[in-house]
Amino acid sequence: MKRTVVTMPGDGIGKVVLPEAIRVLDKVGFEAEYVHGDIGWDFWIQEGNALPDRTIELLKLHKLALFGAITSKPKDKAEAELAPALQGKGMVYRSPIVRMRQLFDLDISVRPCQSFPNNPLNFIRRHGNGFEEPKVDAVIFRQNTECLYSGVEWTNPPKQVRDALETHPAMKAFAKVPGEDLAVSCRIMTRGACHRICQAAFEYAKKYGYASVTVCEKPNVIRETSGMMEAEAKKVKKDFPEIALWSTNIDAQMMWLTKNPEDYGVIVAGNMFGDIASDGFAGLVGGLGFAASANIGRDVAVFEPTHGSAPKYEKLQPSIVNPIAMILTAVMMLDHIGETEKAVRIRAAVAAVVVEGKVRTYDAMHLTGGPDVIAQGAATTQQMTDAIIAKL
Ligand code: NAI
Ligand code: MG
């Protein structure tokens, strides 16, 4: 069956890396029709909407998308860059990614952090006179729509809110704080969403043979929300007797990942702690040039690299950024739709290029990005893709 995939390159290097992933998909024999979707800063400037309705319609229709990256800028810059005709109309910039996640209830974010042997950016551990390089293979399941990202927040909360808060005994500590000096961001979590992310984490662990699922929250202190996540994890675990359930606190988890990251398999967390844990683990396996992610809802799934639009590299000719994050993102899409054999082949091709170590982009050479990295032996974006394609 020929698939239709909505491609949303977005801004900056999103426009550079997304076509590279398509080159790899073509080469592996994935038959698809690609339909372009507008998203990002240009559409904010021209239309006052970074996620135009026509793109939303495309996503509704085709349900499967590859996304590059977007640029977002602070409030004052956003207003200043709007087309003159749109200025002063009270338009408010909203992140198209956050909107997309909420509109389509893309509540499950999956972020695999798996090291490729011989990647010079891998985590290493010193012992005696030498070092060891444990294989890191953690997959973070991050609840993608709730928690501190729910958007329910105030500085100087309205009276009803303040009154409601003051019904809680712990608010006594803040009783004397003037409204304008009081900021409140609500950490809202629902049982259904906690259950779904835990269920997805366990199913994944079972499908791919992970021995454990670790719920990474802070239930000893954040008793209600973290407590709910942990309680749901325990319920779900009952259906997976062969998989261990561990619980770590987010702060301790950050320490463990600098000591024994190889001990962890699937990790599940709310939005904020999932964000932190996934960046932490990504840093052990190559960082932004290697980090892929999926946003999965009941109907729609959107796949994107973790990195942003890196505007400073957008116009560099030739391009120097690492296309591997975007290519691994396409691999996640293939896995999701059951094109497992093609996914395995691309991953193996990426691994083969990394192991060989002949073709490396600047990030994997520990260089500072800039036009001179090519003269220092770094591969261009296109050369890296070519090397992967050659291995296919
Ligand atoms: P960024 O991820 O765009 O770049 C940070 C740095 O990481 C870059 O300067 C570069 O040194 C490195 N980097 C990123 N991708 C790379 C790649 N493929 N290969 C090699 N090196 C790579 O984050 P930054 O600079 O904080 O944000 C830039 C813009 O991107 C902002 O407007 C921000 O709002 C947006 N952003 C968008 C995201 C998204 O679309 N999902 C996520 C993060 C930031
Ligand atoms: Mg992040």
Side-chain angles (χ1 to χ4, degrees), residues 93 102 108 141 143 164 180 193 197 223 372:
Y93 177 81
Q102 287 170 349
I108 293 169
F141 276 71
Q143 205 295 327
E180 60 274 19
I197 192 77
R223 292 168 185 275
D372 54 322

Side-chain angles (χ1 to χ4, degrees), residues 13 67-72 97 288-289 304-313 321-322 362-363:
I13 65 165
F67 167 47
I70 50 109
T71 295
S72 53
I97 308 176
L288 290 174
E304 58 167 324
T306 303
H307 64 72
S309 61
K312 61 184 174 186
Y313 302 138
V321 293
N322 194 346
Y362 81 95
D363 51 325

Side-chain angles (χ1 to χ4, degrees), residues 27-346:
K27 197 67 192 182
V28 84
F30 177 57
E31 287 190 26
E33 193 181 327
Y34 297 101
V35 187
H36 172 89
D38 291 335
I39 193 169
W41 199 249
D42 290 345
F43 304 96
W44 162 250
I45 293 176
Q46 293 157 21
E47 305 172 24
N49 185 358
L51 181 64
D53 291 347
R54 55 187 180 278
T55 305
I56 295 173
E57 290 307 316
L58 284 177
L59 289 169
K60 274 189 196 156
L61 188 63
H62 302 299
K63 301 179 173 32
L64 189 67
L66 280 174
F67 167 47
I70 50 109
T71 295
S72 53
K73 301 184 189 179
K75 221 168 153 183
D76 50 334
K77 282 223 173 88
E79 172 71 22
E81 290 188 24
L82 260 184
L86 298 175
Q87 289 193 11
K89 293 195 171 161
M91 289 184 154
V92 182
Y93 177 81
R94 284 161 72 201
S95 159
I97 308 176
V98 176
R99 247 191 99 203
M100 206 157 45
R101 287 177 188 158
Q102 287 170 349
L103 263 173
F104 294 103
D105 197 14
L106 304 176
D107 65 333
I108 293 169
S109 164
V110 188
R111 300 182 162 194
C113 299
Q114 292 148 336
S115 53
F116 290 108
N118 206 31
N119 183 348
L121 300 173
N122 282 347
F123 170 82
I124 55 170
R125 187 162 46 219
R126 219 188 241 282
H127 66 91
N129 295 323
F131 69 88
E132 55 180 341
E133 191 178 311
K135 182 166 169 45
V136 176
D137 182 357
V139 183
I140 289 79
F141 276 71
R142 166 188 175 192
Q143 205 295 327
N144 219 12
T145 49
E146 303 191 337
C147 188
L148 285 172
Y149 293 68
S150 61
V152 183
E153 51 181 2
W154 305 266
T155 297
N156 195 2
K159 184 169 181 314
Q160 310 94 297
V161 175
R162 182 114 194 205
D163 288 348
L165 288 172
E166 280 173 5
T167 62
H168 195 290
M171 268 306 281
K172 280 206 182 74
F174 306 99
K176 293 208 175 77
V177 182
E180 60 274 19
D181 295 339
L182 185 74
V184 177
S185 300
C186 294
R187 189 176 206 248
I188 300 179
M189 290 172 46
T190 63
R191 196 175 302 284
C194 291
H195 195 89
R196 243 176 80 76
I197 192 77
C198 291
Q199 183 75 31
F202 272 97
E203 279 171 9
Y204 188 96
K206 183 172 179 174
K207 182 170 173 192
Y208 293 100
Y210 288 88
S212 67
V213 170
T214 302
V215 55
C216 175
E217 281 284 328
K218 185 115 182 163
N220 54 335
V221 179
I222 316 173
R223 292 168 185 275
E224 302 306 326
T225 45
S226 288
M228 185 178 277
M229 184 67 87
E230 199 182 40
E232 290 314 301
K234 282 183 182 156
K235 273 188 214 161
V236 173
K237 192 250 166 319
K238 290 191 183 132
D239 296 332
F240 299 85
E242 72 283 20
I243 298 166
L245 172 63
W246 298 340
S247 182
T248 57
N249 287 339
I250 177 67
D251 48 344
Q253 182 69 68
M254 289 295 104
M255 182 187 61
W256 296 128
L257 70 74
T258 66
K259 288 176 175 280
N260 52 341
E262 72 272 33
D263 289 354
Y264 296 92
V266 173
I267 297 206
V268 62
N271 211 339
M272 183 78 256
F273 297 160
D275 198 13
I276 295 171
S278 61
D279 275 20
F281 274 98
L284 305 174
V285 300
L288 290 174
F290 291 82
S293 78
N295 304 283
I296 298 171
R298 286 183 177 80
D299 296 332
V300 177
V302 178
F303 298 82
E304 58 167 324
T306 303
H307 64 72
S309 61
K312 61 184 174 186
Y313 302 138
E314 174 185 5
K315 298 232 152 61
L316 270 191
Q317 282 292 350
S319 171
I320 62 163
V321 293
N322 194 346
I324 289 179
M326 187 76 228
I327 291 167
L328 294 176
T329 297
V331 168
M332 291 188 80
M333 179 187 76
L334 291 178
D335 264 329
H336 179 73
I337 60 177
E339 292 276 8
T340 314
E341 181 262 348
K342 294 183 177 71
V344 168
R345 279 176 58 208
I346 299 176

